[in-house]
Amino acid sequence: MPDAPDFRRLFDQNLSPLLVLTTDFVIVEVNRAYLTATRTGRGIVGRPVFDVFPDNPEDPSADGVANLRRSLETVVASGRTDTMALQRYDIPTDRAGVFAERWWSPVNAPVLDGEGRVTHIIHRVEDVTEFVHLRRVGREQQRAVADAQMRAEGMEIDLFVRAREIREVNEQLSRVNAELDAAGRRLREEQRAKDRFIATLSHELRNPLAAATAATELLALDMPEGHPALAVLERQLGTLARMSNDLLDGTRAVTGRLELVREPVDLRSVIEGACADIRGLFAHDGRTLDVRLPAVPLVVDGDRLRLAQVLTNLLSNALKYTRPGGRTEVELTAGDGEARLTVRDDGIGFAPGQAEELFGVFMRAAPAGPDTPEGLGLGLAVARTIAELHHGRVGAHSAGPGEGATFTVVLPTTGSPAPPPSRSTAVRSTPRGLAVLIVEDNEDLAATYHTLLERQGHRVTTVHTGSAALTATEAHPFDVVLCDLGLPDIDGHTVARRVRARPGGERLRLIAVSGFSQGTDRAMSRAAGFDAHLTKPLPLTELMEVLERRDGE
């Protein structure tokens, strides 16, 4: 079928002078014929029509504004076309305060939406000044009168066809609106599909990351004397895990679906934990991480994991843009009901005018190139979103390239009492061998977890489907079940519910292991009967702490 016409070009090249107004009479579009007839330019777009074309102050009888306003209001109120009588409406000339006499034949037609509401008005005019002047001359100029008569007859005929033309324009605009609605629906569906793809991609990355992480820890057990390759693997796997998290959280941040699980949190413990997790990366290449915390608790109402993510992202940013041997300082202070967390480095810095751009999605401090550090440009965007969800703010400052950078997070403090110090995980001095069932469809990951747990003295059984898990738990008494949620036959939530429903099922310890870690994911795990929800990739230390925790803790 032929290509759809370019309606904007059709509008602009229409021989009739056309003006498009809003329902409060502001000019939103005009074609060339109108600009030529009124001797104006496109600068009139965006201005109220009566500001552009006022009454001639030298003509006490001028009523053009009043008559046009009355007609436009009639169209808005009735939703119908209004044809005006021939109207004198003088137009301003190039000389200040000087108007030129003009006579017009105006028609005002509504543009309706799908529900019949007036959205715009099409103001169509014909300049009939010459006709009026000729009519004044009288019969003494027969030729002029004849020409005028012909034009009058033409305008009379035109009056009959105007209604049909306006209807056609309305039909064309309705079709365009329908096409725009369909395009909008397609764009929204494409956005949802992109979000689903990124979420699935991030989740699917977690299984091979988890297997590689577990295999690295197994190598570390087999090589207690250490090996340079192990340190490389640990650093790079940590980078991949953070990039995977940023990819998923960046999508959630942009779409407003980032979730918080709030509780009173002492920021000091959040900072200590985040710095402890990343300090080893700073030690690589001789970098220094200096942390200064207040002596008293500084409590905010927030999500401990998300707040730690803010600091981790800021520290990862400092790590990427600080040269070997560089220094990064973390300082926490309080004042005026706010907690102020500052991360300061002596890295590459940035131009002062670039500060706000750094928090954009996929934005980086340095342009892409062979020397640019790895990263997706999502960490700072996620950090800002988390801070704003906590009713706080994040800012950046640098004196210029090569002068280092300072990032500041400000959060409101709360009057809630400081949470009690977290107890170190109580483990048995001689951990007893637990009967552990691993339910994991990724065979590499299952085999590596199996070996790691056996090395820790536990009795381990591995299955790869939900049905096999139900059969195994019915045939053998297990102390702990580590269950993936995304199984090929029945999901882990169903496994947990069926196990809990059996006699004595409440005594079995069920631990969900998943690539999804949102608050809703954890809530679904709790509702299904799981005692804990762990996120892939799962470090061995975290897994052992969960397995060896004393009963009731």
Side-chain angles (χ1 to χ4, degrees), residues 209-385:
L209 278 174
T213 300
T216 301
E217 292 179 329
L218 184 57
L219 286 174
L221 292 177
D222 288 339
M223 305 174 69
E225 71 283 358
H227 191 284
L230 286 176
V232 173
L233 286 172
E234 290 171 355
R235 286 196 302 273
Q236 297 306 318
L237 287 172
T239 297
L240 286 173
R242 285 193 297 276
M243 289 172 65
S244 176
N245 290 336
D246 283 347
L247 184 63
L248 184 58
D249 289 336
T251 301
R252 291 168 176 162
V254 171
T255 55
R257 296 197 300 270
L258 207 59
E259 298 179 359
L260 299 182
V261 180
R262 293 179 179 273
E263 61 179 342
V265 176
D266 184 354
L267 280 179
R268 298 180 305 169
S269 63
V270 172
I271 294 171
E272 287 172 342
C275 290
D277 290 340
I278 203 170
R279 190 178 292 275
L281 296 178
F282 273 84
H284 183 65
D285 286 339
R287 294 178 176 87
T288 301
L289 178 61
D290 183 25
V291 182
R292 294 194 292 274
L293 302 177
V296 297
L298 198 50
V299 182
V300 300
D301 180 28
D303 185 318
R304 176 180 293 274
L305 293 178
R306 291 299 185 188
L307 291 173
Q309 187 177 7
V310 171
L311 179 55
T312 299
N313 286 359
L314 294 180
L315 289 175
S316 297
N317 187 74
L319 187 65
K320 285 188 291 186
Y321 296 110
T322 302
R323 299 177 182 86
R327 180 182 183 84
T328 299
E329 300 175 355
V330 176
E331 183 177 17
L332 178 64
T333 58
D336 298 327
E338 293 180 329
R340 181 177 293 269
L341 171 63
T342 303
V343 178
R344 186 180 298 105
D345 65 61
D346 57 3
I348 67 171
F350 53 85
Q354 191 183 0
E356 279 302 303
E357 297 177 6
L358 298 179
F359 294 95
V361 177
F362 302 117
M363 291 299 298
R364 296 149 68 94
D371 298 325
T372 303
E374 75 282 340
L376 300 174
L378 289 169
L380 294 181
V382 172
R384 168 164 283 186
T385 298

Side-chain angles (χ1 to χ4, degrees), residues 68 112 129 157 351 388-389 436 468 478 492 505 546:
L68 179 56
L112 307 177
T129 305
I157 295 172
E388 290 175 347
L389 287 175
V436 180
F478 289 100
V546 173

Side-chain angles (χ1 to χ4, degrees), residues 174-190:
S174 296
R175 287 194 295 271
V176 171
N177 284 334
E179 292 170 359
L180 288 174
D181 288 341
R185 287 192 297 272
R186 288 194 299 270
L187 285 174
R188 288 191 293 273
E189 180 54 38
E190 289 172 1

Side-chain angles (χ1 to χ4, degrees), residues 91-130:
I91 61 173
T93 65
D94 295 335
R95 296 168 56 194
V98 177
F99 284 69
E101 178 183 334
R102 286 290 185 275
W103 289 81
W104 310 92
S105 175
V107 175
N108 298 309
V111 177
L112 307 177
D113 62 15
E115 297 178 3
R117 293 187 296 254
V118 178
T119 63
H120 294 83
I121 304 167
I122 297 177
H123 175 61
R124 174 178 173 174
V125 296
E126 291 291 340
D127 186 348
V128 296
T129 305
E130 183 182 354

